[in-house]
Amino acid sequence: MEWKLFANLKEVVGQSEVAVDVQPGATFGDALDALLESHPELADEVLNDDGELRDHIRVLHNGDNPFVSAEGRDTELEAGDELALFPPVSGG
């Protein structure tokens, strides 16, 4: 699976796309854990002191927030799924 990172999260890692070693049938939580395991420098940016996603961090699974439209961390992944992680974006 591959994560797309945006804004300061991309800067922290130094690249906009990161492949993680999870297979179809794994969960969104597995993919997030694999991302943070391979890039621990992201943990302070995306997790709060309780190890949960910070309120301002947005995640997408195939264009939808898995915590709203699916099973959250337990959302099952399929081959070709698109994963994204980003902070809120503002502009004008």
Side-chain angles (χ1 to χ4, degrees):
M1 295 287 161
E2 190 167 273
W3 281 94
K4 293 183 180 187
L5 305 176
F6 297 91
N8 68 314
L9 304 178
K10 176 176 112 174
E11 292 173 15
V12 167
V13 172
Q15 58 195 52
S16 62
E17 296 182 357
V18 175
V20 293
D21 188 22
V22 296
Q23 302 302 314
T27 65
F28 185 85
D30 294 333
L32 180 59
D33 291 344
L35 173 66
L36 296 177
E37 188 174 299
S38 66
H39 293 282
E41 65 274 21
L42 279 175
D44 286 342
E45 300 291 330
V46 300
L47 300 179
N48 63 24
D49 293 338
D50 296 326
E52 301 294 326
L53 281 173
R54 293 183 181 275
D55 290 338
H56 68 276
I57 294 296
R58 301 293 175 242
V59 294
L60 294 177
H61 169 244
N62 295 331
D64 294 316
N65 182 336
F67 293 92
V68 173
S69 63
E71 310 291 323
R73 289 184 65 88
D74 295 329
T75 302
E76 191 171 307
L77 303 177
E78 297 180 11
D81 281 0
E82 187 173 284
L83 307 173
L85 185 67
F86 56 96
V89 177
S90 63

